[in-house]
Amino acid sequence: MSSSLVQKYNVPGPRYTSYPTVPFWDESTFSVGGWESSLHKSFDENNGELSLYIHLPYCESLCTFCGCHKRITKRHEVESPYIDTVLSEWKLYCDLFDGTPKIKEIHLGGGTPTFFSPENLKKLIDGIFKLAEHADDYEFSFEGHPNNTTKEHLQTLYDLGFRRVSYGVQDYNPTIQKAIHRIQPFENVKRATDQAREIGYTSISHDLIFGLPFQKMEHVVDSINKTLLLMPERIAFYSYAHVPWIKGNGQRGFDENDIPKGDEKRALYETGKKLLEELNYIEIGMDHFALESDSLSVALKNNELHRNFMGYTTQKTNLMIGLGASSISDSWYAFAQNAKGIDEYTKLVNAGTIPVYRGHLLNSQDLIIRKHILNLMCNLRTSWEESSNYFEELPKVLSSLKEFANDGLIEFKENELVIVEEGRPFVRNICMAFDMYLLKKKPDTQLFSMTV
């Protein structure tokens, strides 16, 4: 990859798990009533099928690379009351729906879902299905910490229908692990992976991060080679998002000079990608790889890949309910985020109120641009052949993209834009050209991580 292109395009930019992105939500037009109306519309259009993201925010220790909402504690008596609150929130949603929800997807995220005991996780999932049914083709997944995911966790969740597990690995080098406060030996990851396979999990994912403090090329190569000994079906190879300005994320435990940047950082990804592709992993969208046999690769091949706040998924549901403190929900027509603090979240639910504190109601242009950005993030192409995909500023957007074409990163075809292989690293930048909110109101301070 050209060094000059990295320098040119390496600017702060969104990861586009939503459009509009959270900093540009119009809270002045948002209301809980408007959110509930959008839920009714989406529930009916999707025949009652939906996805559930459940945020389980507790961790026993703070990982200093993490920008997620969490609470650090070793007091496990918090588990049961929190699950009771999540189930009460779920009932508030079910009372809104005209019919029984059919759940197509569940993802347990965090925090650390395996902070919770197998018994309490069973209580959670059983409680969800007291008010819901399984969709015909469902997929359940959870994030597991290799150090505390037990065979009992894996068996309990497997018996409840879970077939996918994702383990956060990040990097195996001891110096890097110490810097990010995430000490876990390869043996723990191997044990958790082998146990999942023995039980019958069909898709195991490992999360790796490039661009971590003190990380060198040999560290990335070693971590990927160790990962390839276990051959997980999916690998997420994320760019470290250095966002120390976000409150409570802990990203101040190392010096800025300790973090690889620009060309050096991108070289870590390109080397890792080469190693993965040599063993037949297929690059999926941005930062993801999967074996050809995995459902994510199949969805890519069939143009059925979807992306939401949970990342890339094979389950294309337009209604996603986020349960738990800080969770974000998506009705396709609106976004809503729950209160971030556990105490405030609990107080709202106990008062019988859906605990959202902000959101955005999408207008007609938002919906069109959202489709274009989804197309680019999932399929590396988008089209405006149909009039329904045209919006007023499109000619201006296409004109601004000519520079990407001149740099050999995209191609224009008749009523279509295609990101070529050389343009993959810059997919976020290309999406930014469609982002009317970002173009009309450049942020005064840095809100996003660097794009490359």
Side-chain angles (χ1 to χ4, degrees):
M1 183 194 301
S2 164
S3 171
S4 61
L5 288 179
V6 172
Q7 293 171 13
K8 179 177 181 178
Y9 291 114
N10 192 22
V11 297
R15 298 186 68 85
Y16 290 110
T17 47
S18 74
Y19 180 81
T21 55
V22 175
F24 294 104
W25 285 359
D26 185 355
E27 296 180 40
S28 67
T29 60
F30 178 79
S31 67
V32 175
W35 166 237
E36 291 179 355
S37 295
S38 78
L39 285 173
H40 284 292
K41 182 177 182 181
S42 190
F43 188 84
D44 291 343
E45 287 179 352
N46 290 281
N47 299 312
E49 287 193 344
L50 55 84
S51 296
L52 275 185
Y53 170 77
I54 306 176
H55 191 69
L56 301 173
Y58 295 104
C59 299
E60 287 198 342
S61 64
L62 176 67
C63 302
T64 57
F65 65 88
C66 177
C68 299
H69 295 288
K70 64 272 180 182
R71 178 173 290 184
I72 309 303
T73 183
K74 294 185 185 298
R75 295 174 51 245
H76 285 265
E77 59 266 29
V78 299
E79 294 181 31
S80 190
Y82 184 80
I83 285 174
D84 288 340
T85 307
V86 169
L87 292 175
S88 295
E89 182 192 3
W90 175 233
K91 186 176 187 307
L92 292 174
Y93 274 107
C94 290
D95 289 344
L96 283 177
F97 298 139
D98 298 321
T100 303
K102 295 186 280 288
I103 299 179
K104 197 168 179 64
E105 181 179 28
I106 294 177
H107 183 71
L108 307 181
T112 305
T114 46
F115 172 97
F116 289 74
S117 70
E119 295 78 15
N120 277 324
L121 293 175
K122 184 176 189 308
K123 172 185 172 182
L124 171 64
I125 302 304
D126 284 345
I128 293 293
F129 281 103
K130 284 179 181 176
L131 302 173
E133 301 171 353
H134 292 75
D136 290 338
D137 180 22
Y138 63 86
E139 184 177 88
F140 298 166
S141 58
F142 74 97
E143 298 167 14
H145 192 313
N147 286 357
N148 66 14
T149 300
T150 64
K151 194 168 186 178
E152 290 72 27
H153 279 114
L154 290 162
Q155 188 66 59
T156 296
L157 290 169
Y158 182 88
D159 293 343
L160 291 165
F162 286 72
R163 295 294 181 270
R164 283 195 54 238
V165 56
S166 173
Y167 293 124
V169 174
Q170 325 322 340
D171 191 286
Y172 285 112
N173 178 265
T175 300
I176 296 169
Q177 288 190 358
K178 183 178 179 182
I180 64 176
H181 205 235
R182 176 79 172 208
I183 309 298
Q184 58 187 28
F186 173 75
E187 291 70 24
N188 288 5
V189 180
K190 184 178 187 305
R191 172 194 54 76
T193 300
D194 289 346
Q195 287 178 342
R197 286 226 169 93
E198 289 163 9
I199 287 169
Y201 282 78
T202 55
S203 185
I204 298 166
S205 178
H206 287 188
D207 293 351
L208 302 173
I209 297 179
F210 67 95
L212 289 167
F214 307 111
Q215 194 178 52
K216 306 292 184 188
M217 186 68 73
E218 60 265 28
H219 303 142
V220 167
V221 170
D222 179 64
S223 292
I224 287 184
N225 283 336
K226 283 186 168 71
T227 300
L228 294 176
L229 292 174
L230 304 177
M231 289 297 286
E233 282 73 20
R234 299 181 186 181
I235 295 174
F237 191 28
Y238 292 113
S239 168
Y240 166 57
H242 188 58
V243 286
W245 54 86
I246 294 179
K247 183 181 178 182
N249 72 356
Q251 293 184 4
R252 295 187 185 275
F254 35 83
D255 191 274
E256 296 283 331
N257 296 322
D258 299 328
I259 303 167
K261 301 177 183 70
D263 293 332
E264 180 188 4
K265 180 181 180 183
R266 190 63 204 179
L268 300 177
Y269 182 81
E270 296 297 334
T271 298
K273 173 184 173 179
K274 185 171 182 287
L275 289 171
L276 293 172
E277 290 181 338
E278 285 173 356
L279 280 177
N280 299 318
Y281 282 90
I282 294 170
E283 191 171 17
I284 308 286
M286 180 181 73
D287 298 343
H288 285 68
F289 295 82
L291 293 175
E292 189 175 3
S293 57
D294 189 81
S295 59
L296 208 60
S297 293
V298 175
L300 175 68
K301 185 177 179 181
N302 296 334
N303 289 322
E304 294 174 347
L305 199 62
H306 187 53
R307 181 173 169 83
N308 56 27
F309 285 104
M310 295 185 280
Y312 287 104
T313 173
T314 62
Q315 303 296 324
K316 195 170 183 178
T317 50
N318 282 347
L319 176 56
M320 188 192 85
I321 303 296
L323 301 177
S326 81
S327 282
I328 298 178
S329 298
D330 175 4
S331 68
W332 184 258
Y333 302 104
F335 301 116
Q337 184 172 20
N338 282 353
K340 294 181 181 180
I342 295 171
D343 297 338
E344 178 65 16
Y345 161 76
T346 302
K347 180 180 176 182
L348 289 169
V349 173
N350 288 344
T353 304
I354 287 181
V356 301
Y357 84 104
R358 66 174 174 177
H360 180 89
L361 304 178
L362 281 77
N363 59 38
S364 57
Q365 180 173 278
D366 291 344
L367 290 166
I368 294 170
I369 295 174
R370 179 180 191 183
K371 284 195 286 185
H372 284 298
I373 288 178
L374 261 178
N375 290 339
L376 291 168
M377 294 297 291
C378 293
N379 304 314
L380 302 177
R381 61 177 63 222
T382 193
S383 167
W384 49 95
E385 187 172 1
E386 298 176 14
S387 59
S388 60
N389 291 333
Y390 185 88
F391 60 100
E392 187 179 349
E393 283 96 342
L394 182 60
K396 191 185 297 183
V397 169
L398 298 179
S399 178
S400 73
L401 285 165
K402 286 179 181 175
E403 193 167 355
F404 289 93
N406 294 336
D407 287 332
L409 306 178
I410 62 173
E411 291 178 357
F412 290 110
K413 300 184 178 179
E414 188 175 356
N415 296 321
E416 189 180 29
L417 165 67
V418 178
I419 301 176
V420 300
E421 184 62 29
E422 291 77 9
R424 266 187 182 272
F426 309 102
V427 61
R428 290 164 68 183
N429 303 77
I430 295 163
C431 289
M432 286 163 66
F434 285 81
D435 190 335
M436 291 298 107
Y437 292 90
L438 188 62
L439 294 173
K440 290 175 181 176
K441 187 182 178 183
K442 295 282 186 184
D444 297 327
T445 57
Q446 187 171 340
L447 301 175
F448 306 108
S449 61
M450 304 300 280
T451 56
V452 182

